[in-house]
């Protein structure tokens, strides 16, 4: 058991990290919702406006991560292990980064169409972000919310498996059916980034699961 974990038995836990986590997850929900809107429309200028919103979410997330890191450096007792405090914030920041990458790829590649599989994946990414937000709101009281948190972590893992299947089928169909090589490459790269986003969101759930196991 670490010194921090030992001292937590005797000292009131510091709660100032939780509002930062909630703000990070708020941004993640908004960014994934905006990405979903982005793949539903075809007008490039409208997509650019939505892309700027996602970029702002990502930039605001960077600032929150910096603030949490500064807070961590001046805090003696943390609500759970210091490494976990930092890793969760880092995972949430990575999630905003990858959603921004998804948006940037759509704007950069300018595909002639957004296939239904990309739209379906964007829907699932938003669902994962919403689940993460619900988990984060309950994280301050781990013992009371243990079962619900683990259940939502399991849901995120399940969604990640679904996205993997969507991606595999989509890439197979793309190579079999797309005759325009340039469009094939564009859509493949966009799909790959969306699939990577599901892995990053699952990393958040995995980190939270570890925290819950250590602290329940």
């Amino acid at each position: 058991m670490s010194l921090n974990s030992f001292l937590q038995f005797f000292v009131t836990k510091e709660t100032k990290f939780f509002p930062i986590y909630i703000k990070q997850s708020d941004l993640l929900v908004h960014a994934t919702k905006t990405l979903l809107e982005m793949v539903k429309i075809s007008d490039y200028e409208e997509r650019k406006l939505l892309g700027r919103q996602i970029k702002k979410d990502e930039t605001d997330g960077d600032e929150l991560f910096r603030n949490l890191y500064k807070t961590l450096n001046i805090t003696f007792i943390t609500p759970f292990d210091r490494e976990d405090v930092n890793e969760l914030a880092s995972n949430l920041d990575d999630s905003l980064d990858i959603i921004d990458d998804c948006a940037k790829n759509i704007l950069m590649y300018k595909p002639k169409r957004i296939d239904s599989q990309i739209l379906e994946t964007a829907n699932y990414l938003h669902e994962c972000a919403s689940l993460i937000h619900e988990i984060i709101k309950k994280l301050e009281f781990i013992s009371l919310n243990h079962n619900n948190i683990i259940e939502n972590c399991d849901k995120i893992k399940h969604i990640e498996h679904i996205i993997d299947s969507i991606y595999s089928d989509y890439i197979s169909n793309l190579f079999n059916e797309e005759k325009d090589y340039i469009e094939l490459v564009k859509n493949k790269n966009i799909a790959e980034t969306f699939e990577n986003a599901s892995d990053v969101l699952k990393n958040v759930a995995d980190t939270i699961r570890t925290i819950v196991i250590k602290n329940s």
Side-chain angles (χ1 to χ4, degrees), residues 4 16 44 91 109 152 157 163 189 215:
N4 183 72
K16 59 191 170 187
Y44 182 73
N91 288 162
Y109 288 117
N152 283 337
K157 184 176 181 179
I163 292 175
N189 290 347
N215 293 274

Side-chain angles (χ1 to χ4, degrees), residues 1-211:
M1 179 183 290
S2 69
L3 176 61
N4 183 72
S5 297
F6 177 75
L7 289 172
Q8 285 175 13
F9 286 110
F10 305 101
V11 181
T12 302
K13 293 182 181 180
E14 180 56 69
T15 61
K16 59 191 170 187
F17 296 99
F18 296 110
I20 300 176
Y21 289 141
I22 290 172
K23 288 178 183 177
Q24 283 184 297
S25 65
D26 279 337
L27 290 173
L28 183 59
V29 170
H30 183 263
T32 54
K33 182 181 179 182
T34 307
L35 181 66
L36 181 56
E37 293 173 10
M38 198 175 180
V39 299
K40 287 180 178 179
I41 62 175
S42 57
D43 184 81
Y44 182 73
E45 293 303 318
E46 289 184 34
R47 281 182 180 166
K48 279 174 65 176
L49 292 174
L50 294 173
R52 287 177 193 144
Q53 291 181 31
I54 294 172
K55 183 61 183 178
K56 184 179 186 307
D57 289 336
E58 187 269 336
T59 302
D60 290 346
D62 286 341
E63 183 63 27
L64 287 171
F65 182 48
R66 283 192 290 270
N67 289 342
L68 185 139
Y69 187 76
K70 291 176 184 176
T71 302
L72 185 60
N73 284 335
I74 59 173
T75 303
F76 181 56
I77 298 297
T78 53
F80 33 84
D81 284 350
R82 304 180 72 83
E83 294 81 4
D84 293 332
V85 170
N86 182 71
E87 184 174 359
L88 178 54
S90 178
N91 288 162
L92 288 165
D93 188 60
D94 290 343
S95 297
L96 283 164
D97 289 343
I98 193 70
I99 297 302
D100 183 46
D101 287 343
C102 289
K104 285 192 291 190
N105 275 0
I106 291 172
L107 293 174
M108 177 174 65
Y109 288 117
K110 299 181 183 178
K112 291 179 180 178
R113 68 181 189 279
I114 297 289
D115 289 324
S116 61
Q117 294 89 340
I118 302 299
L119 174 58
E120 187 177 9
T121 301
N123 243 317
Y124 278 125
L125 293 177
H126 181 54
E127 185 177 347
C128 283
S130 299
L131 287 168
I132 286 170
H133 183 57
E134 289 303 310
I135 292 169
I136 294 294
K137 288 193 296 185
K138 296 176 179 177
L139 199 56
E140 185 174 351
F141 305 101
I142 290 177
S143 296
L144 294 175
N145 297 297
H146 174 277
N147 290 340
N148 183 261
I149 291 173
I150 293 298
E151 180 182 341
N152 283 337
C153 287
D154 289 341
K155 287 179 182 178
I156 293 168
K157 184 176 181 179
H158 177 65
I159 291 171
E160 189 266 339
H161 289 325
I162 292 174
I163 292 175
D164 280 347
S165 295
I166 293 170
Y167 173 74
S168 297
D169 291 343
Y170 177 60
I171 295 300
S172 177
N173 291 335
L174 200 61
F175 275 89
N176 286 327
E177 299 174 6
E178 180 59 69
K179 305 306 179 185
D180 186 330
Y181 178 74
I182 293 176
E183 288 302 306
L184 187 154
V185 172
K186 288 179 180 180
N187 286 289
K188 172 186 172 295
N189 290 347
I190 289 170
E192 189 174 87
T193 309
F194 274 65
E195 193 277 332
N196 288 342
S198 72
D199 295 332
V200 176
L201 292 175
K202 189 178 82 70
N203 287 343
V204 177
D206 289 342
T207 297
I208 291 171
R209 184 190 298 276
T210 299
I211 291 169

